[in-house]
Amino acid sequence: MTSFELEHAIGFSGNVPHSVHFHPNGQDFVYVAGGTIVICDLNDSHNQVFLRGHDDEITCLAISSSGRYLASGQRGDNSDVIVWDFEARSMLYRFSEHDHGISCVSFSEDEKLLVSAGDAHDRRLIVWDLSCGGMVAFQSAVEPVDTVTMGGFEKDVKRRPTRNYVIATGGNKKLTLWTLDPYGGELRSDIINIASITRDYRALRFSADGEFLYAGTDSGDFAEIQMKSLV
C-alpha cells in the first residue's frame, strides 16, 4: 500500500480551546490540526513543521513561558500527554497515566513542572517533573475540569514567595485553587466562592505579580479573584 506524506496543512481544530498559540520568538505560531501539531512561520505560510505522536484527535495544547516546551493531550484509548522540545522539533516525554482523555495542560512559570487534567471520565490531576519526566503529584476523583493554569509560588501572609506552587482549575460553576508542595508531592485544594455569581469557567490566568486570578466564562464576562483573600 502506498503511503502518503503530509506536505501542507490548511485550517485548524477550532473546536479545541486554546488551540492556537503565538510563539515568544515572534516568528512562529503553533496550532492543532486533528492529531497533528503544526509549527508555522508567520512570514512564510508554506514553511511548516509537523509534530506527530498522537494516534487520535488532540484535545489541548500549551506552550511554556519562554517557548522552550510544548505540551499536548489527546482523547481515546491512548490518552497520552506529550511534551515537545520546540527547538529540536521532537518529542521529549510521553506520559501515559491518564485514561479516556485529556482536558487541559499547563506549564509552571519557571518551566520546571507541567500539570495535566483528565476529562470528565478520567478525573485525574497530575503534576510532572520536566527535568526527568517523573510524577510529582497525583489526585484522583477530581471534579470535572475544563481549564487549568499553573502559576508561580504561593505567598505567605507577608506576601513573600514560599516553595509551594499554585494551580487553578475551573469548570461548570466551580473554581478551585490548588497548592502544591513539589518536594512532598502534596496537593491541597480550596474552593473559590464568588458570592452569588454562577458561571461556567473556560479560561484561567494568574496576573504577572501573582496577586490576582482572572477567570473567563462562557457568558462572555470574567471574574477577578484576589489571591490574598480568594474573593
Side-chain angles (χ1 to χ4, degrees), residues 169-197:
T169 58
N172 293 339
K173 302 174 180 60
K174 193 167 187 178
L175 284 176
T176 305
L177 182 70
W178 301 81
T179 304
L180 166 69
D181 176 356
Y183 302 98
E186 180 184 357
L187 273 170
R188 186 181 73 249
S189 64
D190 290 295
I191 302 300
I192 301 174
N193 295 309
I194 311 179
S196 60
I197 300 175

Side-chain angles (χ1 to χ4, degrees), residues 109 153 155 159 206-212 214:
E109 290 180 358
F153 295 99
K155 295 182 179 181
R159 312 313 294 156
F206 288 103
S207 62
D209 61 6
E211 294 294 340
F212 295 92
Y214 303 105

Side-chain angles (χ1 to χ4, degrees), residues 13 15-21 30-37 54 56-63 70-75 79-84 98 101-107 114-119 145-148:
S13 298
N15 61 319
V16 176
H18 317 297
S19 60
V20 181
H21 293 264
V30 185
Y31 63 92
V32 175
T36 301
I37 296 172
H54 292 287
D56 209 321
E57 288 190 14
I58 295 172
T59 54
C60 54
L61 176 67
I63 186 168
L70 304 175
S72 53
Q74 71 167 69
R75 69 179 189 181
S79 51
D80 295 343
V81 174
I82 298 179
V83 178
W84 308 87
H98 288 281
I102 311 299
S103 177
C104 42
V105 289
S106 179
F107 291 97
L114 174 77
V115 59
S116 57
D119 65 12
V145 173
D146 292 317
T147 180
V148 64

